[in-house]
């Protein structure tokens, strides 16, 4: 009798927890809808008389999908004065041929190719950036990953927040251009889950406190205030640090309403899972409490568990219907309408499946402190730095 009563009480506590989990998830979905509508309903003003010179830094390693189109888009800006610096480590890297073609096709533009194997830390992307920054002519630096594509109005728009002297960093969200079902699944997660969290954070924290590799605009004085690229040279999430450290130094990070395009390479399932786990562990060490709080965004999972725990009761089915409906509405408003992501619009039905997979990856994010990149294993410290677990003769380039 005692055992039966104990198990019944445990089951009731579990049901209460799952019900609370569902309620918080629905609240998050609704808040994300509100955050997206609020953010994009008030476009940031554009002052056409504000056009400070800019140096664009592009770290390269290997050849991405549509590499020429991606890189060339940064050379087609409707902007008065800017410089583009491509930085690569290996003189045999195939991306050099593409850069040389760009230099030839845009001969009237100030473009420079830097080939240097100088290292300042474990993260070779940051070493590339430091090598490029050494040749930057202008006070304002713009960093963007190699797989990003932009429109001709990009530079004019993302530079606008710097009119406020308290702004130290400007960053952008992104939507994906991709092929293949695995990459499609990843892209759906980015626009309908990750960026939903970003928009909520932007309101709750009165501005985000991190940045994304898709775009980081940072004046040299701000970079110097945090100790330069050397300060972040051993971090996995270098883009996070380039937003976080300026905030600690008293500057603001502004989320631009310009959405860039991420040209995603089609990958196999194993590589995609490894990359997602690497990102998950990077987020866990960068924002530990924020990472733990992600559990309350998985309403698809909690509602399924509630349905099972209540033996298919009306309460269970009601919880599932409400959670899944609000999740899909949120995905549509954030991904399809706000970010104008065609993949999210076309494959909205994949969202619940992605959430289930994402929850599993979130759990794996807690299990271990190692990450894998191109067959090499590295260890993450508690503060997000990378430690080599093997010989230094590796090729690590955390660009995506």
């Amino acid at each position: 009798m005692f055992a039966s009563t104990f198990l019944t009480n445990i089951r009731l506590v579990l049901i209460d927890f799952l019900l609370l989990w569902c309620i918080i998830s629905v609240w998050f979905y609704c808040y994300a809808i509100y955050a997206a509508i609020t953010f994009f309903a008030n476009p940031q003003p554009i002052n056409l008389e504000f056009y400070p010179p800019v140096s664009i830094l592009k770290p390269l390693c290997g050849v991405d999908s549509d590499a020429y189109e991606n890189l060339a888009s940064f050379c087609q800006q409707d902007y008065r004065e800017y410089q583009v610096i491509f930085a690569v480590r290996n003189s045999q890297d195939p991306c050099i041929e593409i850069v040389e073609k760009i230099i030839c096709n845009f001969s009237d533009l100030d473009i420079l190719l830097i080939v240097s194997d100088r290292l300042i830390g474990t993260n070779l992307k940051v070493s590339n950036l430091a090598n490029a920054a050494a040749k930057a002519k202008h006070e304002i630096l713009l960093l963007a990953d190699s797989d990003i594509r932009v429109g001709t109005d990009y530079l004019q728009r993302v530079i606008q927040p710097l009119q406020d002297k308290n702004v130290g960093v400007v960053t952008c969200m992104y939507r994906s251009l991709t092929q293949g079902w695995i990459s499609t699944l990843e892209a759906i997660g980015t626009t309908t889950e990750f960026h939903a969290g970003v928009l909520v954070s932007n309101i709750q924290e009165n501005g985000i406190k991190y940045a994304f590799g898709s775009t980081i605009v940072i004046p040299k004085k701000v970079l110097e205030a945090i100790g330069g690229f050397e300060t972040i040279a051993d971090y996995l999430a270098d883009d996070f640090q380039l937003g976080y450290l300026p905030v600690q130094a008293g500057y603001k990070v502004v989320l631009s309403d310009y959405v860039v395009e991420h040209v995603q390479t089609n990958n196999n399932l194993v590589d995609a899972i490894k990359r997602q786990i690497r990102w998950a562990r990077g987020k866990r060490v960068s924002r530990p409490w924020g990472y733990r709080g992600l559990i309350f965004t998985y309403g698809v999972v909690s509602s399924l568990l509630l349905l099972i725990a209540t033996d298919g009761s009306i309460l269970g089915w009601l919880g599932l219907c409400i959670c899944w409906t609000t999740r899909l509405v949120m995905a549509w408003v954030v991904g399809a309408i706000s970010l104008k992501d065609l993949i999210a619009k076309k494959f909205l039905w994949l969202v619940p499946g992605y959430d289930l997979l994402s929850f599993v990856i979130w759990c794996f994010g807690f299990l271990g402190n190692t990450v894998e990149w191109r067959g090499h294993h590295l260890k993450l410290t508690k503060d997000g730095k990378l430690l080599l677990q093997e010989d230094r003769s590796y090729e690590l380039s955390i660009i995506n």
Side-chain angles (χ1 to χ4, degrees), residues 45-82:
I46 300 176
N47 179 6
L48 296 179
E49 299 303 315
F50 182 72
Y51 40 79
V54 178
S55 290
I56 300 176
L57 313 184
K58 300 288 292 184
L60 304 178
C61 179
V63 178
D64 298 311
S65 297
D66 299 330
Y68 179 87
E69 290 78 7
N70 300 340
L71 301 179
S73 68
F74 286 84
C75 303
Q76 299 170 321
Q77 295 302 300
D78 185 12
Y79 199 77
R80 179 169 296 186
E81 183 179 1
Y82 67 101

Side-chain angles (χ1 to χ4, degrees), residues 207-268:
I208 59 175
K209 295 175 174 58
Y210 43 85
F212 313 121
S214 55
T215 291
I216 299 175
V217 183
I218 182 169
K220 286 182 179 179
K221 66 177 183 179
V222 177
L223 185 61
E224 292 168 359
I226 65 172
F229 285 117
E230 288 76 9
T231 303
I232 64 168
D234 290 319
Y235 282 92
L236 171 64
D238 52 276
D239 49 358
F240 172 87
Q241 294 295 331
L242 282 173
Y244 174 76
L245 293 178
V247 170
Q248 304 309 303
Y251 292 95
K252 295 191 298 184
V253 176
V254 171
L255 182 64
S256 173
D257 60 3
Y258 190 95
V259 181
V260 302
E261 293 181 328
H262 173 217
V263 183
Q264 194 166 333
T265 302
N266 188 27
N267 295 292
N268 61 52

Side-chain angles (χ1 to χ4, degrees), residues 62 72 121 166 171 178 201 213 262 286 288 304-305 332 369 385 387 391 396:
N166 294 319
T171 194
T178 185
S201 176
H262 173 217
S286 297
L304 278 175
L305 293 176
W332 181 264
N369 294 308
K385 288 186 176 181
L387 297 177
D391 187 84
L396 172 67

Side-chain angles (χ1 to χ4, degrees), residues 50 86 90 103 115 118-119 125-126 133 142 146 153 162 198 204 208 227 243 245 284 291 310 351 370 383 396:
F50 182 72
F86 298 103
N90 190 342
I103 292 174
V115 182
R118 182 178 73 98
L119 282 175
K125 170 189 171 182
V126 178
L142 189 152
S146 59
D153 61 338
L162 292 185
V198 170
Q204 282 192 325
I208 59 175
L245 293 178
R284 189 200 77 211
Y291 188 77
T310 58
V351 167
T370 60
D383 60 353
L396 172 67

Side-chain angles (χ1 to χ4, degrees), residues 107-381:
S107 57
D108 57 337
L109 189 62
D110 187 359
I111 306 177
L112 185 62
L113 170 64
I114 303 293
V115 182
S116 174
D117 60 0
R118 182 178 73 98
L119 282 175
I120 64 170
T122 312
N123 188 326
L124 300 190
K125 170 189 171 182
V126 178
S127 291
N128 270 350
L129 288 170
N131 294 336
K135 298 295 183 179
K137 297 178 180 178
H138 306 306
E139 166 62 22
I140 297 176
L141 305 178
L142 189 152
L143 292 46
D145 289 342
S146 59
D147 53 6
I148 297 300
R149 187 181 300 176
V150 297
T152 57
D153 61 338
Y154 161 76
L155 191 51
Q156 179 71 70
R157 288 179 58 182
V158 299
I159 216 73
Q160 294 298 315
L162 292 185
Q163 294 178 80
D164 181 350
K165 300 302 181 183
N166 294 319
V167 173
V169 174
V170 182
T171 194
C172 292
M173 293 182 287
Y174 50 95
R175 54 178 170 261
S176 297
L177 300 176
T178 185
Q179 294 180 346
W181 69 272
I182 295 174
S183 296
T184 295
L185 203 59
E186 288 187 279
I188 287 174
T190 297
T191 51
T192 71
E193 178 192 56
F194 177 69
H195 286 320
V198 170
L199 290 167
V200 169
S201 176
N202 191 51
I203 289 184
Q204 282 192 325
E205 300 180 16
N206 193 28
I208 59 175
K209 295 175 174 58
Y210 43 85
F212 313 121
S214 55
T215 291
I216 299 175
V217 183
I218 182 169
K220 286 182 179 179
K221 66 177 183 179
V222 177
L223 185 61
E224 292 168 359
I226 65 172
F229 285 117
E230 288 76 9
T231 303
I232 64 168
D234 290 319
Y235 282 92
L236 171 64
D238 52 276
D239 49 358
F240 172 87
Q241 294 295 331
L242 282 173
Y244 174 76
L245 293 178
V247 170
Q248 304 309 303
Y251 292 95
K252 295 191 298 184
V253 176
V254 171
L255 182 64
S256 173
D257 60 3
Y258 190 95
V259 181
V260 302
E261 293 181 328
H262 173 217
V263 183
Q264 194 166 333
T265 302
N266 188 27
N267 295 292
N268 61 52
L269 182 59
V270 174
D271 288 341
I273 290 176
K274 287 180 179 179
R275 180 171 56 255
Q276 291 295 327
I277 292 176
R278 183 177 74 247
W279 287 348
R281 290 176 179 168
K283 286 186 284 188
R284 189 200 77 211
V285 297
S286 297
R287 289 170 58 88
W289 287 109
Y291 188 77
R292 289 171 173 82
L294 288 177
I295 188 174
F296 293 111
T297 68
Y298 292 111
V300 167
V301 176
S302 62
S303 61
L304 278 175
L305 293 176
L306 179 64
L307 182 65
I308 295 171
T310 58
D311 296 326
S313 69
I314 295 177
L315 176 63
W317 280 109
L318 184 62
L320 186 141
C321 290
I322 292 175
C323 281
W324 286 44
T325 299
T326 51
R327 173 66 175 106
L328 290 172
V329 171
M330 184 267 278
W332 181 264
V333 172
V334 174
I337 297 178
S338 300
L339 297 178
K340 296 180 174 58
D341 190 321
L342 296 179
I343 292 177
K345 183 180 295 186
K346 184 177 180 180
F347 297 100
L348 186 72
W349 55 276
L350 286 176
V351 167
Y354 169 81
D355 282 5
L356 294 174
L357 178 61
S358 178
F359 179 73
V360 173
I361 291 172
W362 177 80
C363 293
F364 269 98
F366 288 102
L367 305 178
N369 294 308
T370 60
V371 295
E372 183 177 340
W373 181 258
R374 297 184 181 181
H376 297 277
H377 297 272
L378 302 104
K379 184 177 181 179
L380 274 174
T381 64

